[in-house]
């Protein structure tokens, strides 16, 4: 009971101002492994969600404008930032048409080795498709390391390689600055944050943590997200 009251007071003091959604695959195909459902959503469900949030006056904003919205917390509308991790090809073939239809900005976090070496059984984006997306006015390309390792388990040197190799490659490929990042599976430590800072990453995302709230000061290198799947939302 006490815990319930505490939570209630917290919610009153810190109402939600927005959410950062974390998606993975957007597909109609049945996954071979039922656990993989945790990382999938059908295009239909995604479209319904976006329509529902728009109807409720949520504003879909780009990842670049998030820092301003965090500072100016008195905005009339709540916001949603859409992000997709890893670089699945269905983000282009299945999700992009929905984002275009509803004018929803989105950010794709790409893992270099998944693109160059593949990530069976999934179809990943090709380099040329990443270039195509990078030019799209609704899309931002962010980096998601070289090999998708749990960064907090690596040495400083390994972490540096994971972060800089992917960023450099994406910048050459897209001819754009890549200063937005997401931790693979959400793992990071103090060293990770130092390396991100040294390499000019200005915004970085955790894998979970729930909605963004009023009167809470967020570290721009550990912004919480909410995982969106076919089954629902995970915080
Ligand atoms: Zn990932």
């Amino acid at each position: 009971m006490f815990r319930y009251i505490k939570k209630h007071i917290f919610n009153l003091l810190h109402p939600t101002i927005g959410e950062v959604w974390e998606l993975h695959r957007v597909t109609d195909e049945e996954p071979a492994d039922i656990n993989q459902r945790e990382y999938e959503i059908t295009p239909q469900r995604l479209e319904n969600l976006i329509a529902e949030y728009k109807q409720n006056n949520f504003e879909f904003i780009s990842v670049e404008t998030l820092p301003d919205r965090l500072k100016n917390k008195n905005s009339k509308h709540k916001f949603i930032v859409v992000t997709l991790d890893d670089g699945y090809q269905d983000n282009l073939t299945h999700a992009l048409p929905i984002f275009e239809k509803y004018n929803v900005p989105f950010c794709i976090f790409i893992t270099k080795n998944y693109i160059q070496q593949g990530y069976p059984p999934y179809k990943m984006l090709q380099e040329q498709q990443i270039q195509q997306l990078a030019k799209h006015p609704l899309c931002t390309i962010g980096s998601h390391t070289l090999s998708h390792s749990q960064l907090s388990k690596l040495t400083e040197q390994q972490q540096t390689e994971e972060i800089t190799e992917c960023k450099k490659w994406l910048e050459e490929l897209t001819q754009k600055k890549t200063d937005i990042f997401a931790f693979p599976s959400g793992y990071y430590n103090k060293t990770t944050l130092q390396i991100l800072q040294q390499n000019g990453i200005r915004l970085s995302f955790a894998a979970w943590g729930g909605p963004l709230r009023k009167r809470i000061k967020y570290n721009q290198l550990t912004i919480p997200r909410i995982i969106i799947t076919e089954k629902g939302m995970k915080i």
Side-chain angles (χ1 to χ4, degrees):
M1 185 65 184
F2 179 64
R3 193 181 283 174
Y4 171 78
I5 292 169
K6 229 169 106 179
K7 200 176 159 202
H8 188 65
I9 292 172
F10 177 81
N11 284 337
L12 284 176
L13 284 173
H14 304 284
T16 299
I17 55 164
E19 295 172 2
V20 183
W21 289 357
E22 172 186 347
L23 291 94
H24 298 83
R25 292 181 293 280
V26 181
T27 174
D28 272 324
E29 280 169 35
E30 287 284 321
D33 177 352
I34 195 74
N35 292 323
Q36 292 303 325
R37 268 281 154 87
E38 303 289 332
Y39 299 100
E40 294 183 343
I41 188 166
T42 56
Q44 195 52 55
R45 170 95 182 113
L46 177 62
E47 180 165 357
N48 290 345
L49 259 185
I50 290 172
E52 184 190 316
Y53 273 74
K54 283 221 161 184
Q55 241 168 27
N56 287 318
N57 287 321
F58 277 76
E59 202 182 326
F60 284 82
I61 64 164
S62 72
V63 80
E64 283 93 347
T65 57
L66 178 62
D68 276 346
R69 290 299 281 261
L70 287 176
K71 271 180 227 148
N72 172 25
K73 293 182 183 177
N74 290 321
S75 173
K76 228 168 55 198
H77 295 296
K78 291 184 188 179
F79 63 82
I80 303 289
V81 175
V82 176
T83 67
L84 305 100
D85 286 17
D86 304 337
Y88 299 100
Q89 202 173 85
D90 58 39
N91 294 178
L92 175 74
T93 55
H94 290 64
L96 179 64
I98 301 170
F99 296 146
E100 284 176 331
K101 181 173 169 186
Y102 291 87
N103 198 27
V104 170
F106 61 100
C107 175
I108 303 186
F109 293 109
I110 292 180
T111 295
K112 183 184 176 190
N113 285 356
Y114 285 177
I115 306 302
Q116 293 199 325
Q117 298 166 15
Y119 180 42
Y122 307 114
K123 258 198 192 156
M124 306 308 287
L125 287 163
Q126 294 163 3
E127 290 194 356
Q128 196 198 349
Q129 293 173 321
I130 296 171
Q131 288 173 322
Q132 182 192 337
L133 280 165
K135 287 188 196 130
H136 196 288
L138 289 174
C139 183
T140 303
I141 299 292
S143 62
H144 199 42
T145 73
L146 185 59
S147 71
H148 209 277
S149 302
Q150 294 182 11
L151 291 174
S152 53
K153 290 187 176 165
L154 303 181
T155 64
E156 184 177 348
Q157 200 191 335
Q158 288 168 324
Q159 287 203 47
T160 304
E161 196 189 323
E162 283 283 343
I163 291 164
T164 57
E165 289 287 301
C166 182
K167 181 177 190 283
K168 244 193 333 197
W169 166 72
L170 279 171
E171 288 181 335
E172 270 165 32
L173 187 68
T174 63
Q175 294 294 305
K176 280 185 174 179
K177 204 162 151 189
T178 307
D179 53 7
I180 298 174
F181 180 88
F183 306 110
S185 312
Y187 292 94
Y188 65 91
N189 57 20
K190 257 193 203 161
T191 310
T192 322
L193 301 186
Q194 280 165 3
I195 298 167
L196 290 180
Q197 242 162 359
Q198 286 158 6
N199 286 281
I201 299 286
R202 63 187 176 99
L203 212 53
S204 163
F205 292 88
W208 49 75
L212 295 157
R213 294 173 179 280
K214 219 169 180 166
R215 286 185 282 275
I216 288 187
K217 190 161 167 36
Y218 292 98
N219 181 343
Q220 293 204 4
L221 294 181
T222 58
I223 306 270
R225 290 192 287 174
I226 296 175
I227 298 179
I228 308 287
T229 75
E230 186 68 9
K231 289 194 250 170
M233 298 188 172
K234 275 200 299 190
I235 61 169

